[in-house]
Amino acid sequence: MDSALPGLRPTRSRVLIESEVVAMVIFVFTEVMLFAGFLSAYTIIGSGAPVWPPVGEPELPVGPTAVASLALILSGGAVMMSGRGATTRWLGVALGLAGVFVVWQVVEAVRLVQAGLTMVSSAHGGFFYTIVGAHAIHALVAMIVLSGCLWRQTRGGLSPGLFKAVRIFWYFVVGLWPVLYAAVYL
Amino acid sequence: MAESPSHAHDGHAHAGHGAHDGHGGHHEESWFVHYFWSTDHKMIAKQYLVTGMLMGVIGAYFAYVFRMQLAFPGKPVPGYGLVTGADYNALVTNHGAIMIFWVAMPVLIAAFGNYLIPLMIGCDDMVFPRINRLSYQIFAISAVLVVASFFVQGGAFGGAWTAYPPLSAKAEYSLTPAGSSLWLIAVALEFVAFLLGGINFVTTAMNSRAPGMKAFDIPIAVWMIVIASILFMASVGPLIAGALMLLFDQMIGTGFFDPDRGGDPILWQHLFWFFGHPEVYVVLLPAMGFVAEIITTFSRKKMFAYKTVLATTFATGLLSFFVWAHHQFIAGIDPRMANVFSVTTVLISVPIAEMCFVYIATLYGGSITFSVPMLWALAFIAEFLLGGVTGIYLGSSGADIYFHDTYFVVAHFHYTFFPIAIIGSFAGMTYWYPKMFGTFMNEAWNKLHFWVTIIGFNGIFLPLFITGASGDHRRIFDYTNFPELDTPELQSLRVLATVSLLVMLVIQPVFLINFFYSMFRGKKAGANPWKANTLEWQAASPPPHGNFPTLPEVYRGPYEFSVPGRDEDYWPQNSPN
């Protein structure tokens, strides 16, 4: 015991991974299981249906969404770069690209609703909006948190552990999307 | 996630610690902040504990009302009045939901996890204390919502705690338009609360251990709570997905579980039980952990096969993800699938049986003291064994066709859940009470409470095995309408079960009064009244804010009892020699 002085802490054992990162990895794991639940439900219903998606429903915009997906994936790259320096600039780029994706998702949803595909029109419609919507909400929340990081960075108060955790969450949002796209659109 | 780790933000908590202990010494906090807005893991633990006990009283009251109806159908129940069919369904549903989600989970995992993890691993608080506070606040809201669901138009949800659609999905079937949605939202919020808590538990146990505490120096109780938290977080995702889909079905009329519109009601059962079965182990493991701490301390013996306990725990956790369809043997799943799930279900009894053997081997040759916590711990092993053995019948897909939805099932899972939620909680509460409040509870009253509770419990559920095997269906609120079930033999067993419940309930105030009275008037307990080794006993009783005057260092494992050549028969983890 080298701590004869009251309140002086003995040397801590080495922390391998920052607590924020551990917490975020656990949280992302739960989120992965959440979307696994959605996707397995979607697969079960889809494989049990005679025709899937049901006939007479408006076609999903596969091509334009692929372009928007590219913007999302590039934003993942920008967030990765923001962790290596020039944080403010790269975060701005990432937020812009992510904004393109989210705005397209909203435009697409409005047009599909006008074309007659709604939450209640069929189980397929319900799944489409639930899965894609859940992802879009994750993207929006992550964008708000990234904006918070940007704001803190400009004031010089961004903690590295927290920022790393936020980046992990953004990688999750980006990495999840191709899986959802393949399952729902293709 | 806007949260800074505790070592960064609460520097004030350490600065003054060696100099003056006790709360309020280093900074003034109002009683409101102290009791309702605290980030101290011990206060949050007590909040969870008291809320869980309160919800336990509500759940017990529900059991009293519907058991009275079953024993004396159609007669007004004292303290409630006449029980209608809808009342009965709502009471049974919420008894199940409350006892699992608002009693077992908050007491076993949240209260003891919060209290024990930082103390047992030798740190000052959780890694994310404000997330911890948020966790309790969300939990408190969920508890208020589930109670509030009894007072809305149409009454509380009555579609069983499993909430199978279509009954749960459509208001024209459930007849509880507001109650079912409120119930579902309450359950979802409760999950969020435990998700936040669980993240804290795992991160804290991983990153804040005292210097020198290696993986196999961690007390089994901490291991169990951490593994249970991981199981919870791995299984809860699909249920949250299902709950959202069910909420959409209820509130905006989607057709996820509606076969007319391309949905599938069985889908819900898969999503629910993929969570629901691991959930059994989520609450079982902490109770198993408390029992491990108690039997080593009161038999003065080293844990027999510490690593085997961990291996069996991992095996149980893993297997628990592959047994869920045993709840659905008669739901129309493929019989070949049912075979697979029968095998995994029977297999999972192997690691649990191994764990029981290890505990019994720990007792063998020990110097056993039959203190109150030890009585509860031994009762846990005995009663849980009965639950496990009857599970073999239900896990066999052939036998389950007969037993499904009878009182045999009810008796079986109460022989698992009662030991977990009630016996495990009493074991933990009586064992750690001197640490939490610095005083002893009255031992004589506690022993009386133990024996009456145990005898009452067996008196409730042993008869129900017999009525269940005779064909008593569990979803009937008045058997007088079913001539083949309305026989004097079966009815006398139902009355026996209800009378046993009354006996068990009558004794509970003795514990509650003892619990609160002893806080103020109990005999003072020193820091280490049981002469145990783990770190929480090396802090003062009750531990001050910040827990330890100087954070401990760990030199050995947690169960070094009766080591030859030492004067004392225990050897604290933090004692250098």
Side-chain angles (χ1 to χ4, degrees):
Chain A
M1 296 286 260
D2 55 355
S3 52
L5 291 170
L8 191 70
R9 301 165 74 129
T11 341
R12 311 286 311 173
S13 45
R14 197 161 59 94
V15 170
L16 285 177
I17 313 168
E18 297 102 310
S19 296
E20 293 93 333
V21 175
V22 176
M24 184 52 81
V25 167
I26 299 167
F27 182 66
V28 163
F29 173 58
T30 311
E31 292 272 34
V32 167
M33 290 304 290
L34 170 77
F35 280 94
F38 279 131
L39 282 185
S40 56
Y42 179 80
T43 314
I44 289 169
I45 299 292
S47 57
V51 194
W52 190 261
V55 279
E57 287 195 348
E59 273 194 30
L60 302 175
V62 177
T65 305
V67 176
S69 309
L70 196 65
L72 182 69
I73 290 164
L74 287 176
S75 82
V79 166
M80 194 183 284
M81 294 308 291
S82 74
R84 299 183 179 173
T87 305
T88 322
R89 181 149 41 92
W90 281 115
L91 272 184
V93 173
L95 281 168
L97 286 164
V100 170
F101 173 79
V102 171
V103 167
W104 168 251
Q105 294 291 77
V106 173
V107 170
E108 176 200 36
V110 169
R111 284 177 24 189
L112 281 171
V113 168
Q114 282 166 350
L117 184 72
T118 65
M119 285 286 280
V120 294
S121 63
S122 69
H124 179 253
F127 272 118
F128 175 78
Y129 289 109
T130 306
I131 295 174
V132 173
H135 180 266
I137 287 169
H138 277 80
L140 260 182
V141 170
M143 281 174 67
I144 293 168
V145 177
L146 278 177
S147 312
C149 286
L150 181 60
W151 182 70
R152 277 203 189 179
Q153 175 67 20
T154 54
R155 292 160 48 108
L158 182 57
S159 100
L162 182 70
F163 187 40
K164 202 167 169 186
V166 172
R167 292 206 304 276
I168 290 173
F169 189 68
W170 187 253
Y171 300 149
F172 158 71
V173 169
V174 172
L176 175 69
W177 177 249
V179 181
L180 299 183
Y181 179 79
V184 176
Y185 285 82
L186 303 183
Chain B
M1 293 264 114
E3 176 74 47
S4 52
S6 71
H7 11 285
H9 100 114
D10 62 359
H12 66 276
H14 312 298
H17 266 311
H20 43 130
D21 293 330
H23 29 238
H26 46 276
H27 62 133
E28 292 299 317
E29 49 184 23
S30 67
W31 65 269
F32 176 79
V33 170
H34 182 66
Y35 289 105
F36 294 99
W37 207 256
S38 178
T39 53
D40 186 336
H41 70 103
K42 296 181 292 296
M43 183 50 71
I44 293 170
K46 286 173 188 170
Q47 290 171 337
Y48 266 117
L49 184 63
V50 170
T51 315
M53 286 164 81
L54 194 70
M55 294 303 277
V57 170
I58 296 174
Y61 171 68
F62 290 177
Y64 155 76
V65 176
F66 64 70
R67 265 319 316 169
M68 287 298 278
Q69 158 68 20
L70 288 166
F72 313 106
K75 304 234 171 60
V77 176
Y80 185 85
L82 209 58
V83 182
T84 66
D87 287 1
Y88 178 85
N89 287 340
L91 291 169
V92 171
T93 299
N94 286 282
H95 167 76
I98 285 177
M99 285 303 193
I100 290 171
F101 294 133
W102 284 278
V103 179
M105 298 271 291
V107 173
L108 290 169
I109 302 197
F112 283 108
N114 264 312
Y115 199 84
L116 295 178
I117 289 176
L119 278 165
M120 280 187 148
I121 66 173
C123 66
D124 51 359
D125 206 328
M126 287 288 174
V127 170
F128 305 110
R130 280 180 288 162
I131 287 186
N132 210 15
R133 179 178 63 192
L134 182 66
S135 157
Y136 174 74
Q137 289 163 343
I138 295 176
F139 172 78
I141 293 171
S142 78
V144 169
L145 283 185
V146 76
V147 174
S149 75
F150 275 83
F151 303 100
V152 294
Q153 181 113 42
F157 177 56
W161 82 284
T162 52
Y164 284 179
L167 186 57
S168 58
K170 291 194 174 178
E172 63 255 45
Y173 302 149
S174 69
L175 304 178
T176 53
S180 26
S181 297
L182 213 50
W183 183 86
L184 206 51
I185 292 167
V187 172
L189 281 178
E190 198 262 3
F191 292 157
V192 173
F194 283 105
L195 185 59
L196 298 177
I199 288 174
N200 241 327
F201 296 166
V202 178
T203 313
T204 306
M206 201 168 148
N207 276 357
S208 296
R209 293 200 305 277
M213 185 180 266
K214 305 270 195 303
F216 298 129
D217 299 329
I218 302 174
I220 284 177
V222 173
W223 265 117
M224 293 287 191
I225 293 170
V226 166
I227 296 170
S229 302
I230 294 172
L231 285 184
F232 175 78
M233 289 182 287
S235 60
V236 77
L239 182 58
I240 292 182
L244 275 174
M245 286 153 62
L246 188 56
L247 202 62
F248 288 152
D249 270 17
Q250 286 175 354
M251 297 187 83
I252 57 178
T254 52
F256 292 117
F257 303 116
D258 182 356
D260 286 346
R261 294 159 61 207
D264 182 2
I266 303 291
L267 175 63
W268 166 264
Q269 300 189 14
H270 286 296
L271 293 172
F272 182 86
W273 287 115
F274 182 81
F275 163 81
H277 205 87
E279 167 71 13
V280 175
Y281 298 94
V282 169
V283 287
L284 166 67
L285 294 181
M288 279 283 195
F290 305 163
V291 172
E293 302 300 326
I294 292 167
I295 60 172
T296 47
T297 302
F298 289 110
S299 58
R300 315 308 292 167
K301 261 189 75 188
K302 192 172 175 147
M303 188 81 214
F304 182 90
Y306 174 98
K307 288 184 185 172
T308 307
V309 174
L310 292 188
T312 55
T313 310
F314 285 121
T316 310
L318 201 64
L319 267 175
S320 72
F321 286 94
F322 302 96
V323 298
W324 80 87
H326 67 216
H327 297 273
Q328 299 161 248
F329 283 153
I330 64 150
I333 65 167
D334 192 316
R336 289 163 295 185
M337 272 291 264
N339 274 342
V340 173
F341 280 97
S342 268
V343 171
T344 53
T345 303
V346 177
L347 260 184
I348 204 168
S349 57
V350 174
I352 292 292
E354 175 66 16
M355 222 182 282
C356 290
F357 286 136
V358 166
Y359 287 4
I360 293 166
T362 304
L363 294 170
Y364 180 77
S367 162
I368 295 174
T369 315
F370 287 104
S371 63
V372 174
M374 186 64 160
L375 289 175
W376 285 115
L378 297 176
F380 174 88
I381 299 173
E383 305 286 7
F384 189 78
L385 209 62
L386 270 170
V389 168
T390 51
I392 309 267
Y393 297 89
L394 297 169
S396 314
S397 57
D400 184 65
I401 293 171
Y402 178 73
F403 283 124
H404 189 87
D405 261 351
T406 66
Y407 269 90
F408 192 89
V409 177
V410 175
H412 156 71
F413 70 71
H414 280 89
Y415 263 100
T416 61
F417 265 114
F418 187 91
I420 294 170
I422 309 298
I423 298 183
S425 298
F426 281 137
M429 279 195 268
T430 49
Y431 183 62
W432 279 290
Y433 188 91
K435 181 52 60 184
M436 285 184 170
F437 302 104
T439 53
F440 285 110
M441 289 174 82
N442 183 307
E443 177 132 0
W445 284 114
N446 258 348
K447 280 193 171 158
L448 176 76
H449 167 252
F450 166 79
W451 285 110
V452 176
T453 304
I454 288 295
I455 292 168
F457 161 64
N458 287 288
I460 302 168
F461 292 106
L462 284 177
L464 295 187
F465 278 122
I466 303 168
T467 62
S470 314
D472 244 9
H473 192 277
R474 63 188 276 210
R475 311 255 184 238
I476 294 169
F477 99 109
D478 185 350
Y479 287 95
T480 51
N481 300 321
F482 298 85
E484 64 276 21
L485 293 176
D486 188 30
T487 60
E489 299 81 49
L490 289 182
Q491 192 57 31
S492 62
L493 289 173
R494 289 181 203 124
V495 172
L496 173 59
T498 301
V499 170
S500 303
L501 173 73
L502 294 179
V503 169
M504 195 178 91
L505 291 182
V506 160
I507 201 71
Q508 300 311 314
V510 170
F511 180 84
L512 288 176
I513 292 166
N514 196 351
F515 187 90
F516 289 104
Y517 181 82
S518 302
M519 273 182 209
F520 306 103
R521 296 289 169 82
K523 192 156 64 81
K524 285 272 174 288
N528 192 357
W530 313 125
K531 299 197 184 340
N533 292 338
T534 40
L535 293 177
E536 82 273 27
W537 300 107
Q538 318 314 324
S541 295
H545 190 50
N547 297 343
F548 299 95
T550 51
L551 292 173
E553 289 176 313
V554 167
Y555 296 91
R556 64 190 58 79
Y559 305 113
E560 298 295 330
F561 288 106
S562 309
V563 177
R566 278 180 59 79
D567 297 340
E568 288 158 322
D569 69 345
Y570 66 111
W571 203 354
Q573 284 190 280
N574 64 337
S575 145
N577 44 51

